[in-house]
Amino acid sequence: MSEDTSTEGPRAGGRTAERSDGPPRDAAGPGRDSAKDARDAKDTVPSGAKDTTGEDKDGRAAVDEPRTPVDERDGPVSEKDALRSLIEGGGHEDPERSEALRAGAIADEIARRLNADASGTRIGTLALFNETVSFGGGFHTGGTRRAEPGPGGASVVALDPTELADHTELFVQPDGYEEAVDALRERRLLVLTGPPGSGREATAVNLLGEALAIDGSGAGGCHRLLMPSAVLEPGWAPPVKHSGYLAVLDDGPAAVERLTSAFGGGGARSIAQWTAVVAALRDSDSLLVLTGGHDLEVLAAGPGGEHLAHHPLTPVDPVAVVERRVLGHGGSPDAHADLHALLERTGAAVALREQPAVRNAARLASVIGADGDMAAEVARLRDPSEQVRAWFNRFREPEAVAFALAAAVLEDSGYLTVADAAVKLRAALAQPELAPPDLRFGDRLGHEQQWIELYLPDGAGLAAGPPRVRFRNGLLGQTILGYAWNALDGRREAVLDWLRRLLSHPDLEVRARAAVAAGVLALADPQYAVHRFLTGWAGSTSWPLRQAAATALGVAGSRPETADAVWGLLHDWARGGSSAQQRRLAGTAANTVGGLLGRTAPLRAVAVLHDALDRGDDWGTLPAVAWGGVHLVEQGQAAPLLDAYLAWSEPQDLSPLVVKTLSAFVFAVSRPYEPPVTGPTAPASGGARVPDVPVLLSELPRHHERLAELWARAFARRPVQDTALEALHEWIDEYADRCPGALDAIAHLLASVARRPGRHRERLEWWLDKWARDRDHPSKNAARLLRALDHGR
């Protein structure tokens, strides 16, 4: 129970006489000199004037006295400075508060994805480097091949009947297929472009077969050109007449480079080259399909390409491919329904949405046909570690790597924001250039970055805003960051510098996501991250950098394998020395535990807060601890925090820990609730939250006994007394009417406080009466509470 040590009370004769002499005051306590007592007496005069900003002996505000920020002092911070910092907002400006909430919500979502681990990912582990992956040149077809040299040195390989059947018997025609057949028959040469995995090779074989009526046994058959660029050599002619030829241009840069000169040159030379090729095809009654991706598409659209037939391939629905390969050209409605149910039940439908390549659909269909282990195949297909490793082995250019990393850090941001960040990272990864590069990331997304999609937020249209960037698999972004951090040794410094610059980006959301990305990097090797960048950020004089470190540590500590190391680090920082840098580390530790870590382990969180607060005469960590407490309350962990505040203030003396604790409590009851901008808004422990109302008021009935005792202790102890009374006044006049049932709950609270030993009843009656009869702003709520208090005697 609180103990009131007041030495001066109201005069006899009731509240009127009491008001004339001032409210009941409390003793200063042992160790306080008379000058300090006089100042404290001035603080509690009936007018309610407070010395919270510093005044000179004449009562004028000392505006000329420079104020050094609490965090920047070299020695222990004074009690007065720390309490003034709390009164002025706790050391955080409103934008910084919003940034902390946004970063916390994003961190929550990232941690949820990581911990769900739905696809068996092995993010941040050495499994990223285990085993080996080999990549062929794209000629992954079965059957016996026969190489035939021809004029101009263009060697070819014939597709045998088995291979033709594999491409044609269960083929699903893409949109515009008939138009492509007509174009090939008419022009003899067709440029077929599409993203990898879109089925362009199978489409090319079917186009050739249908255009020439090739059945695998008649005419000259279908052949693959092993050196596609050789068709541009002088004197080239099809080696076998009455045949179809397929040239795949994705197998190396040489073919595209050779074709670039022809397409890009324009003029008579380009026309003459392609005219000669088409003439040779007509003379031998043959056809040629050039297939490729984005580079070929750009070339075909450039000078000289207008003389060729060009068909952009629309990828087919992968589910339709599975249906055709499992059920053939028939299948009853029930069979189709059963197959769709199987795909949904096993997660295969999700896997195909994430990786819609035809080869993946064909692989799943073969597993279904063989009655294989679908769960294992879906897990393999969805494993982001395998996707990331394969992608980085294939794409090494700065343009592709930069956009992948920018999307990983800024996922769900607008395309322009991601692209700008990618441009800056690309500049750090590439050689310096005299002029800005011609980068068009969006054009290459469907070819190099098939794991990324552009989407419109809910409510498509202009009102929905610009397109945003996200990965098809929710775990890919984190896996990409982990892989790049571990594997791209020569680029680690550039990535870290780029990430550090994002932390000063003018867009709050960019800064928050960059901080979360730093936490993902720390997951791979927490010890390295602590020494490489986290300690520097956590002890920085820049509050945004300290907030970034807190957010990163929250993500890094969200996994069981890294949690103990992170908690140990936070305790070490909280118990550190009293230098400015060590104090900032302690403040960052307190800020960290107010987030995700505190919600999942509240008892460990309050232990860190205690270490950061109980630092003797060093008051510099009080604002950070007070904010950490507010964040814990908003995380649904009010009960553990209030229990800790009760234990720490149990001596009820004027020792630093008691005054700091009660000051942190008053700060917590004073801060209105600001819902997160994104992410989950419901507290972990349930309960209604009212925006712009302190959580401890809206949840007052749930914590009535704890709050009554803490309020009583705060009312009975200066210098906390003044801010506690002001906080109560705000509850009554600013917040009670916004929160249903709050005024009745406050009446119940004040009745509990008034029943405690000491002068609590007299104090409450004096101030309620003063507020109720205020000349400028009389309080109806205070008058009602005063009547209720009198009635409950």
Side-chain angles (χ1 to χ4, degrees), residues 189-193 263 288-291 296 300 308-312:
L189 191 155
L190 176 70
V191 176
L192 180 69
T193 58
F263 277 113
L288 171 62
V289 177
L290 299 175
T291 69
L296 178 60
L308 307 174
H310 175 211
H311 181 74

Side-chain angles (χ1 to χ4, degrees), residues 571-647:
H571 278 290
D572 288 343
W573 285 354
R575 297 167 183 151
S578 58
S579 72
Q581 196 262 356
Q582 290 171 319
R583 187 183 303 116
R584 290 191 292 268
L585 290 176
T588 299
N591 189 20
T592 301
V593 302
L596 172 65
L597 294 183
R599 188 177 73 234
T600 55
L603 296 181
R604 299 181 80 167
V606 296
V608 171
L609 292 181
H610 179 269
D611 288 346
L613 196 64
D614 191 14
R615 296 162 61 92
D617 290 331
D618 184 354
W619 288 70
T621 57
L622 175 58
V625 171
W627 269 113
V630 170
H631 292 154
L632 274 181
V633 169
E634 294 180 350
Q635 294 284 352
Q637 301 300 335
L641 179 73
L642 296 177
D643 287 341
Y645 284 170
L646 287 169

